[in-house]
Amino acid sequence: MRSMRNTAVLLIDCSGPQGLVAGVANLLFQYGANITHADQHQDPEAELFFMRVEWELEAFDLLRFRQEFQVLAEGFQMRWRLSLMSQPPRVAIFVSRYLHCLADLLHRFQTGELNCSIPLIVANHPDGEALARFHGIEFHYIPVDPANRRAAEEAQLRLLAASGIDLVVLARYMQILPPSFVEQYPSRIINVHHSFCPPSSAPVPTTRRSTAASN
């Protein structure tokens, strides 16, 4: 059984973090937020700062906070997204013929560790169809080769749009996603490589910046 936490999650990235953490924390404090989780990371090479904050929504005025936060975000030139944990994302998994990452994700989903729904799996090889059917998930085989790459991309994007997909996970998908695809899902593509998979006891990150290719 997946628990529906009554919390909000704020995701931020920007190039100038000086004063940003204090600004966000102070605004949340003004609204009486009970922060349950906070992470931050700075990438000096990319000159980017990332922040994730989660807080409880009981007696919290989310609409007024969002309006005031918009002003703060413009001042820091933030890119940001505010989500509710009670509304789990709709996830599409892309895979090729190496199925270990797909199997791990589906197991975590089945046991309730991943708070999401998975309407479909998209593959450029048919190998994963039996696994998808076992978990009751739609499987779409779309072969990709140099002659039909553009048509395959368009077919994939139509599937994602029709299913209302919020997040794309590349589970050892052995194709390079072109910029035209990545632009449709900015900061909503996660590249999962076998060396990135944490042990079962470790928490699974809820977001990562978009990655255009899988190794």
Side-chain angles (χ1 to χ4, degrees):
M1 177 72 74
R2 291 173 175 80
S3 61
M4 298 290 106
R5 300 202 303 271
N6 187 28
T7 59
V9 173
L10 180 64
L11 300 175
I12 298 169
D13 72 87
C14 69
S15 57
Q18 187 172 3
L20 182 149
V21 175
V24 173
N26 286 337
L27 186 57
L28 285 168
F29 175 77
Q30 290 173 26
Y31 278 82
N34 178 26
I35 296 175
T36 60
H37 193 86
D39 279 320
Q40 60 191 62
H41 171 72
Q42 188 161 2
D43 187 333
E45 293 186 2
E47 297 183 346
L48 286 172
F49 175 81
F50 303 91
M51 187 175 182
R52 180 189 186 277
V53 186
E54 181 176 354
W55 68 94
E56 295 179 349
L57 285 174
E58 185 176 355
F60 187 88
D61 192 335
L62 189 62
L63 179 60
R64 288 186 59 193
F65 171 80
R66 185 191 293 269
Q67 294 170 343
E68 192 166 345
F69 185 81
Q70 176 67 47
V71 177
L72 180 69
E74 291 174 355
F76 281 98
Q77 297 183 320
M78 300 179 198
R79 290 173 293 272
W80 62 283
R81 185 166 76 249
L82 185 60
S83 304
L84 303 181
M85 291 300 289
S86 60
Q87 300 174 356
R90 293 173 62 81
V91 176
I93 301 179
F94 279 45
V95 65
S96 291
R97 55 169 46 131
Y98 299 103
L99 304 181
H100 48 286
C101 288
L102 174 64
D104 182 66
L105 290 169
L106 293 180
H107 172 71
R108 293 168 188 261
F109 168 71
Q110 186 179 48
T111 59
E113 184 178 346
L114 296 181
N115 181 34
C116 66
S117 62
I118 305 177
L120 55 89
I121 295 170
V122 179
N124 63 322
H125 291 279
D127 304 57
E129 183 171 6
L131 186 58
R133 290 185 182 279
F134 176 80
H135 287 273
I137 299 174
E138 288 186 17
F139 183 86
H140 296 269
Y141 168 46
I142 302 177
V144 180
D145 59 56
N148 79 335
R149 188 174 299 276
R150 179 61 179 174
E153 174 195 340
E154 292 174 352
Q156 292 168 345
L157 288 172
R158 284 195 298 270
L159 277 175
L160 300 182
S163 296
I165 295 300
D166 301 305
L167 178 70
V168 177
V169 175
L170 309 180
R172 290 305 305 273
Y173 183 62
M174 307 299 285
Q175 295 290 321
I176 295 176
L177 297 184
S180 57
F181 187 107
V182 176
E183 288 167 2
Q184 300 298 313
Y185 291 87
S187 298
R188 292 188 293 155
I189 302 176
I190 298 177
N191 183 15
V192 179
H193 189 280
H194 66 283
S195 61
F196 298 157
C197 284
S200 297
S201 60
V204 178
T206 59
T207 187
R208 186 176 297 172
R209 284 184 62 81
S210 300
T211 304
S214 177
N215 291 329

